[in-house]
Amino acid sequence: MQGKGFIKFLAILLAIVCAYYLSFNLVTAKVEKDAKEYAKGDAVKEKAYLDSIATEPVYPVFGLTYQFCKSKEMNLGLDLKGGMNVTMEISLNELVKSLANNTSDANFNKALQNAQRLQDQGSTTDFINLFISEFEKLSPGVKLADFFATTENSQQINSTSSNTEVRNYLSREATSAIDRSFIILRSRIDGFGVASPNMQKQEGTNRILIEMPGVQDQERVQKLLQGSAELQFWQVYQLQEVYPLLDNINKTLVSTSKVADTTAAAATDTAKKDGGKLGDLVKKGGSKDSTDIRKSELSKSNPLFAVLELPMFQSEQGPQVYPTSAIIGFVEKRDTAKVNGFLRKPEIAATIPQSMKFMWSVKPDAQSKKFELYAIKVTAADGQPALGGDAISEARADYDQKGSPEVTMYMKPSGATKWKKLTAEASADPNNKKAIAIVLDNNVYSAPTVQNEIPNGISSISGNFTVDDTKDLANILKAGKLPAPAKIVGKFVVGPTLGQTAINNGLISFVIAFIVILVFMALYYHRAGWVANFALLINLFFIMGILVSLGAVLTLPGIAGIVLTIGLSVDANILIFERVREELAQGKSTAQSIKDGFRHAMSSIIDSNATLFILGGILYAFGSGPVQGFATTLCIGIASSLFAAVLISRVIFDSMLNRKIDISFDNSLTKNAFKNIAFNFVGRRKLYYIISSVIIVLGIIFYFKNGGLNLGIDFKGGRTYLVHFDKNVETEDIRAKLTTAFEDEAPEVKTAGGDNQLKITTAYLVSEPGQATDAKVESALKKGLDGAAVKYDIVSSQRVDPIIASDIVTSAYGAILFSCILMFIYIVVRFRKWQYGLGAVIALFHDVLMVLSFYTILDGVLPFSLEIGQDFIAAILTVMGYTMTETVVVFDRIRERLNEAGKTDMYGEERNTLINFALNSTLSRTILTSLTVFFVLLVIFIFGGDSIRGFIFALLIGRIIGTYSSLCISTPIVIDLAQKGKK
């Protein structure tokens, strides 16, 4: 084998990288164990311990902090670990104001205030109706059209429109704003890197509920979600232009507080516009540090300058204020509120010209920890910025020439023209170049001094940024501006969907099932089986390490991808071993048999993995949520499986041969297994067609009989309740009791902020609207909760839209169809016959219909829920993966046999005989691969708990159906298509 040295080097390098990333979990686990031991059950004490050690080095070798290690550990999804729950409220108050061109009408604004107050007090009436009602009370007979009729919306309302027409217009605009906010927020979260977020619109309100798995940085999330993305470019004043105003503000503060003394008068009288004399204020302290001077001399007599530190530089004369600085001053975080208070005082606000407004930097300086204050120059009569964010066509996270993170912006042609003029004006004076402030949501992100005009519309936002900062900023700019401001009105940490008992049971059952595979491979293939086991363990190690290094979030759909990956890894080894056994049966030596076995198996392995990789790549590119989580794991698993199961196992075999170690591929019990098998698959194809047709027809009948598929909360939406208990409760126990109360409609139950508070979401009676139904559902809820024998209080309730929005479903359909087209093209190119490609695609749809049919037929018959939720999407995708792998391997063997016989036409009894022979020759590999994965799923199904039983059931029947269709459906379809083609 060529390149063994490189393969060993690559394996060692990959193992080191994976071990490094996986080690973070060990480090954080040890720290958190120490915290628990220290706190002895006190949650507050435990959190204080972790906060205190957050910036301390805890990684012995590399000296990395706990905070850093925590950010790099494996993230688990909402279903496995929980995450952050956020309630966003879209400000319809601001939206209505904006639509009315910010009118100053007193009654109009009073009506808005009243509507907001009533909504905050829990009114069930929507905001628009509240506003209309309040306005009509305050201004009877006044037409609302006078406020909202403009040339832009003349197609919808005009000056003669009635209040009812205006009400309908505002309702449409409000609904549109909420829908657009929903899309933009989800786009931002996807860019943030959160896998499988749950997002729901609270029915009848302007609120959006968001659950983000594995989120730790709550402050970053808050900034990301609340930013309205209103990007602006402003000219700024220099310090020498603003100082007289600052001096006047300081004097006014002194006089109004009646603390002026002769020292303060002397300090302020001597301060002038001239840049050199601005330093007099600083020089009063002689050689002392300016901060000390401020504290000692200015704190009492100069209220503003006591907290506002002026920009300065060191000269021969001592510290001097820098007159042309775009930064007006530096303020410590704790004093920003004080400065804001100064500027809001009526007597101060009256002195600030309308052409000036103050803004803070978005974050403090990394070293001084102080915020920068800027004076923005308002040049337009309407108060708008010199250039708006609508000029940006694209934004991306980048690095400058020094390697520091920045955001690169690309402007539209119209924006580039304005930007060229703006930068030309700022850089016109070579002795006094001006700055332009880049502002997002009224915070200055950067205020670079413009050295030259920028003619091409390509420029950068740079500053004191981290990589995460630039990613978030680019993400917000690309996602777009929220149509109305959004604010967080509630947030708390939620527990996992499955519950700790279900997770533990699932983990234990997975380990048991994995051990079953290892034992089976060792017993069936003897010494070669141990090589396969080693490759499988290495494969799992690589997959987990790569997932962690990429910052991926592991969810239940991701675990489905891992289960499929185990099947791929075992399948590759079984394909190789079965081919080696065939070579050995021909009397070849062990070394030659291994060489030929690997060579002959490679075609099947590459084709099956390539088609799956196409599926995974398309699903990742166009899918979202659970689809993307599944695709990520699948693509990583395919690459890792090929490397571990093929290359590493080959290196191990070559090493064993060089050491003269005896290699066996069977034992006395398995040596002649699957020999002389001659099933007539082709001849019985009509029987298989009938069996499949009967099952699918029954599925359609039960579909209409049951009123459709049993869609879960993810697709139908439902009602959500927040319930507080007097003591800690077990989520699995509560779920079981509520399932009975909800007439076998299993709810979703997870902790919310603590083990004594639960968030319960149910689809029970979701299709029946009305207050009577709400009361009925709440009655059933109380009945179930009463069975827990624990005092409780229903804190809140709300009706929510589906977690999986229609556009997610549409994107999933599109991704699957597109991947099927690409797989069809690949198979046609590889096998030189369109019948193969069409047969494989038909088999895919056949299997999906079969799984859905079994779900509709058995729903209500089996003692566990068969709901269709987002986990079911992952199950269906896994079934497609199984089917494609099985089908392509069978096709590959058929092609090989036909090429050996010199037959290329798709007809003839002789050809059918050859195809039967090819199918029977792959039967051992097909059955063994299916059995190994089936063992894993069966053990998880039995011991994994009720919460995931429906999900595993889909994988189980999918495994069976995939095997059945690859042998009995896809190949016969190819034959029949070929015969029709001949005719």
Side-chain angles (χ1 to χ4, degrees):
M1 180 185 177
Q2 301 295 321
K4 286 190 289 185
F6 176 73
I7 292 171
K8 290 179 181 178
F9 169 76
L10 191 60
I12 292 171
L13 181 63
L14 189 57
I16 291 173
V17 172
C18 290
Y20 170 72
Y21 278 100
L22 289 172
S23 66
F24 292 122
N25 287 72
L26 299 177
V27 172
T28 55
K30 183 182 182 304
V31 172
E32 287 160 9
K33 180 183 176 183
D34 293 342
K36 286 184 181 297
E37 292 176 353
Y38 167 78
K40 296 179 180 178
D42 187 335
V44 176
K45 200 173 181 181
E46 181 180 340
K47 186 178 184 303
Y49 178 94
L50 293 174
D51 289 343
S52 67
I53 205 171
T55 56
E56 297 295 322
V58 295
Y59 202 126
V61 180
F62 300 101
L64 302 173
T65 64
Y66 169 72
Q67 192 174 42
F68 179 85
C69 294
K70 190 69 179 173
S71 68
K72 296 296 181 182
E73 72 174 359
M74 174 172 284
N75 290 319
L76 300 179
L78 272 170
D79 44 10
L80 300 177
K81 183 182 179 181
M84 186 176 172
N85 180 293
V86 175
T87 302
M88 300 289 300
E89 185 175 86
I90 310 303
S91 179
L92 297 184
N93 187 325
E94 296 293 329
L95 177 69
V96 173
K97 270 187 186 178
S98 175
L99 292 173
N101 293 316
N102 295 307
T103 179
S104 58
D105 184 85
N107 285 344
F108 186 98
N109 290 317
K110 181 65 175 176
L112 282 176
Q113 293 175 9
N114 291 347
Q116 187 65 57
R117 176 176 51 79
L118 290 170
Q119 189 174 63
D120 292 341
Q121 290 173 354
S123 173
T124 56
T125 306
D126 68 82
F127 181 84
I128 298 301
N129 281 309
L130 287 173
F131 162 69
I132 299 287
S133 175
E134 290 298 313
F135 179 82
E136 289 177 343
K137 288 178 186 176
L138 294 169
S139 302
V142 177
K143 294 180 64 176
L144 278 165
D146 295 340
F147 298 97
F148 296 103
T150 63
T151 54
E152 289 81 5
N153 60 24
S154 58
Q155 296 296 322
Q156 300 183 65
I157 58 171
N158 53 52
S159 57
T160 63
S161 297
S162 65
N163 283 5
T164 300
E165 290 174 316
V166 173
R167 182 200 310 270
N168 294 335
Y169 163 72
L170 292 178
S171 295
R172 288 194 300 270
E173 289 295 314
T175 301
S176 174
I178 294 169
D179 290 343
R180 280 182 288 150
S181 297
F182 185 88
I183 294 169
I184 291 170
L185 288 172
R186 191 171 66 218
S187 177
R188 291 184 184 183
I189 293 170
D190 287 342
F192 182 79
V194 176
S196 302
N198 288 347
M199 294 185 63
Q200 297 172 296
K201 286 178 279 189
Q202 185 178 337
E203 194 171 288
T205 72
N206 53 327
R207 292 187 172 186
I208 297 173
L209 311 181
I210 305 170
E211 288 183 340
M212 293 165 287
V215 170
Q216 301 292 330
D217 193 344
Q218 296 191 19
E219 184 177 347
R220 181 183 169 198
V221 169
Q222 190 161 324
K223 282 171 54 181
L224 182 78
L225 294 181
Q226 291 191 139
S228 66
E230 188 174 358
L231 182 68
Q232 300 171 336
F233 299 88
W234 294 92
Q235 293 176 311
V236 295
Y237 288 99
Q238 293 179 325
L239 180 57
Q240 61 186 358
E241 300 173 288
V242 182
Y243 183 77
L245 174 64
L246 298 179
D247 179 42
N248 185 49
I249 291 173
N250 190 60
K251 287 179 179 178
T252 304
L253 290 171
V254 170
S255 62
T256 54
S257 60
K258 299 180 180 181
V259 294
D261 57 21
T262 55
T263 305
T268 54
D269 287 340
T270 55
K272 305 292 182 184
K273 288 185 180 180
D274 182 69
K277 293 183 179 180
L278 291 176
D280 292 346
L281 186 65
V282 176
K283 289 165 59 179
K284 280 220 168 267
S287 61
K288 287 186 179 182
D289 182 82
S290 59
T291 303
D292 294 330
I293 295 171
R294 185 172 290 101
K295 289 180 180 178
S296 60
E297 297 184 9
L298 305 179
S299 58
K300 295 181 180 180
S301 56
N302 294 275
L304 178 63
F305 295 123
V307 292
L308 182 71
E309 177 185 339
L310 302 178
M312 47 201 145
F313 65 97
Q314 187 69 34
S315 69
E316 294 179 358
Q317 292 77 30
Q320 298 290 312
V321 172
Y322 189 62
T324 58
S325 170
I327 301 171
I328 303 307
F330 302 94
V331 179
E332 293 188 14
K333 182 177 181 180
R334 65 173 181 269
D335 292 326
T336 55
K338 183 181 291 186
V339 174
N340 288 336
F342 288 159
L343 298 176
R344 280 196 297 264
K345 286 178 175 290
E347 61 272 23
I348 300 298
T351 65
I352 300 174
Q354 291 186 346
S355 61
M356 182 186 298
K357 57 183 177 180
F358 294 96
M359 290 184 185
W360 295 103
S361 60
V362 70
K363 61 191 297 188
D365 179 75
Q367 295 181 342
S368 67
K369 306 299 182 186
K370 295 178 180 179
F371 283 84
E372 299 159 355
L373 183 64
Y374 294 86
I376 301 300
K377 185 182 291 186
V378 181
T379 56
D382 59 359
Q384 295 300 307
L387 187 63
D390 55 355
I392 303 296
S393 62
E394 174 64 18
R396 67 168 184 237
D398 212 334
Y399 295 90
D400 62 17
Q401 294 179 344
K402 298 179 181 179
S404 300
E406 67 175 13
V407 174
T408 301
M409 301 178 299
Y410 299 84
M411 294 188 176
K412 299 173 186 175
S414 58
T417 302
K418 293 180 181 178
W419 186 236
K420 178 181 178 180
K421 180 183 178 182
L422 194 61
T423 53
E425 291 175 359
S427 59
D429 185 351
N431 298 318
N432 186 16
K433 294 181 182 291
K434 304 290 182 68
I436 295 178
I438 302 170
V439 177
L440 185 71
D441 296 337
N442 293 318
N443 286 308
V444 178
Y445 271 71
S446 177
T449 300
V450 181
Q451 301 299 326
N452 299 290
E453 79 170 38
I454 302 174
N456 57 7
I458 302 175
S459 47
S460 303
I461 303 177
S462 59
N464 180 28
F465 296 149
T466 64
V467 174
D468 283 341
D469 290 336
T470 55
K471 284 181 179 177
D472 289 347
L473 178 54
N475 176 27
I476 288 173
L477 296 179
K478 284 190 292 185
K481 177 185 174 182
L482 288 170
K487 61 180 179 179
I488 294 175
V489 294
K491 62 179 179 178
F492 53 82
V493 176
V494 292
T497 306
L498 294 181
Q500 196 59 48
T501 302
I503 293 171
N504 292 340
N505 290 341
L507 183 61
I508 292 169
S509 60
F510 183 83
V511 171
I512 294 171
F514 191 70
I515 292 172
V516 169
I517 285 184
L518 299 181
V519 172
F520 173 81
M521 291 295 290
L523 290 177
Y524 193 90
Y525 288 108
H526 205 224
R527 189 161 290 172
W530 288 109
V531 176
N533 288 341
F534 179 76
L536 183 56
L537 289 169
I538 291 295
N539 184 29
L540 276 181
F541 175 70
F542 285 165
I543 290 171
M544 303 309 289
I546 294 170
L547 283 172
V548 175
S549 68
L550 294 178
V553 179
L554 186 63
T555 62
L556 203 58
I559 291 176
I562 292 176
V563 171
L564 178 55
T565 298
I566 291 175
L568 290 175
S569 186
V570 172
D571 181 54
N573 281 126
I574 290 177
L575 273 170
I576 293 167
F577 293 172
E578 289 300 311
R579 295 309 295 255
V580 171
R581 286 172 59 163
E582 289 180 21
E583 303 300 326
L584 288 170
Q586 296 176 20
K588 295 181 181 180
S589 66
T590 302
Q592 189 62 41
S593 296
I594 290 174
K595 181 179 178 181
D596 291 344
F598 271 88
R599 180 168 56 86
H600 289 143
M602 282 308 297
S603 177
S604 297
I605 293 171
I606 290 175
D607 284 336
S608 60
N609 282 273
T611 50
L612 267 184
F613 198 85
I614 290 172
L615 172 67
I618 298 300
L619 293 176
Y620 180 82
F622 297 101
S624 59
V627 176
Q628 199 171 63
F630 171 84
T632 301
T633 311
L634 179 61
C635 290
I636 292 171
I638 290 170
S640 180
S641 294
L642 284 172
F643 182 70
V646 178
L647 298 179
I648 290 180
S649 61
R650 180 65 189 276
V651 169
I652 295 172
F653 278 128
D654 285 351
S655 178
M656 294 173 71
L657 289 171
N658 292 335
R659 297 179 185 179
K660 309 297 183 185
I661 298 174
D662 180 54
I663 305 174
S664 54
F665 288 83
D666 50 35
N667 54 46
S668 58
L669 294 176
T670 61
K671 188 171 185 179
N672 296 313
F674 298 101
K675 299 292 184 182
N676 303 317
I677 295 176
F679 286 112
N680 187 9
F681 290 105
V682 176
R684 295 192 177 99
R685 62 186 184 276
K686 291 183 180 179
L687 173 63
Y688 305 139
Y689 293 163
I690 292 171
I691 292 172
S692 294
S693 298
V694 168
I695 293 173
I696 292 172
V697 168
L698 280 174
I700 294 172
I701 293 171
F702 275 87
Y703 173 85
F704 288 106
K705 177 179 176 291
N706 298 335
L709 294 170
N710 182 13
L711 299 177
I713 301 164
D714 299 343
F715 284 98
K716 292 194 299 185
R719 295 172 176 84
T720 293
Y721 301 90
L722 193 63
V723 183
H724 180 82
F725 295 85
D726 282 357
K727 63 180 182 180
N728 293 349
V729 291
E730 177 59 49
T731 57
E732 291 296 312
D733 293 340
I734 298 296
R735 182 185 287 110
K737 289 179 172 58
L738 289 175
T739 300
T740 303
F742 291 141
E743 299 177 8
D744 294 329
E745 183 86 49
E748 180 186 89
V749 181
K750 60 182 75 171
T751 58
D755 290 337
N756 65 333
Q757 189 161 279
L758 297 181
K759 182 185 177 189
I760 300 167
T761 305
T762 176
Y764 178 56
L765 300 180
V766 68
S767 58
E768 300 179 21
Q771 294 184 347
T773 305
D774 291 340
K776 187 176 179 181
V777 175
E778 188 166 325
S779 176
L781 173 72
K782 291 178 179 178
K783 181 180 177 182
L785 296 176
D786 289 340
V790 179
K791 289 184 178 181
Y792 63 88
D793 178 38
I794 301 175
V795 179
S796 65
S797 64
Q798 54 207 13
R799 186 180 169 93
V800 293
D801 284 352
I803 292 173
I804 299 182
S806 58
D807 59 327
I808 294 182
V809 177
T810 303
S811 68
Y813 287 151
I816 291 172
L817 289 174
F818 188 37
S819 61
C820 285
I821 292 170
L822 286 187
M823 286 188 287
F824 170 79
I825 294 171
Y826 177 85
I827 292 173
V828 170
V829 171
R830 284 288 290 154
F831 291 90
R832 307 292 179 87
K833 291 287 184 179
W834 64 267
Q835 289 90 343
Y836 283 111
L838 188 56
V841 172
I842 290 174
L844 284 180
F845 287 103
H846 163 271
D847 291 2
V848 172
L849 286 174
M850 289 282 280
V851 173
L852 289 171
S853 296
F854 275 110
Y855 257 60
T856 57
I857 294 168
L858 299 176
D859 185 32
V861 177
L862 298 176
F864 51 86
S865 175
L866 289 180
E867 281 187 349
I868 307 292
Q870 59 179 326
D871 294 336
F872 181 80
I873 294 177
I876 287 293
L877 294 175
T878 308
V879 170
M880 292 177 64
Y882 286 147
T883 300
M884 189 52 62
T885 305
E886 301 278 0
T887 301
V888 171
V889 169
V890 172
F891 284 176
D892 190 80
R893 182 58 69 93
I894 292 172
R895 177 182 58 180
E896 181 183 334
R897 292 298 184 188
L898 291 173
N899 289 339
E900 289 174 357
K903 303 289 183 181
T904 57
D905 294 332
M906 300 293 290
Y907 54 88
E909 190 59 37
E910 182 183 3
R911 178 176 179 77
N912 292 351
T913 303
L914 282 172
I915 290 175
N916 267 328
F917 182 76
L919 289 170
N920 282 288
S921 64
T922 61
L923 195 58
S924 58
R925 170 258 155 209
T926 302
I927 292 177
L928 290 174
T929 302
S930 299
L931 281 176
T932 50
V933 178
F934 190 83
F935 286 152
V936 175
L937 297 173
L938 186 62
V939 173
I940 298 175
F941 178 78
I942 295 171
F943 300 105
D946 293 335
S947 300
I948 59 173
R949 195 155 283 155
F951 170 64
I952 298 299
F953 177 75
L955 297 183
L956 268 174
I957 61 173
R959 174 77 276 193
I960 297 169
I961 292 169
T963 304
Y964 159 75
S965 75
S966 66
L967 294 170
C968 306
I969 301 297
S970 56
T971 305
I973 286 174
V974 171
I975 293 171
D976 290 335
L977 288 172
Q979 289 176 344
K980 288 181 180 180
K982 178 193 173 186
K983 292 176 183 179

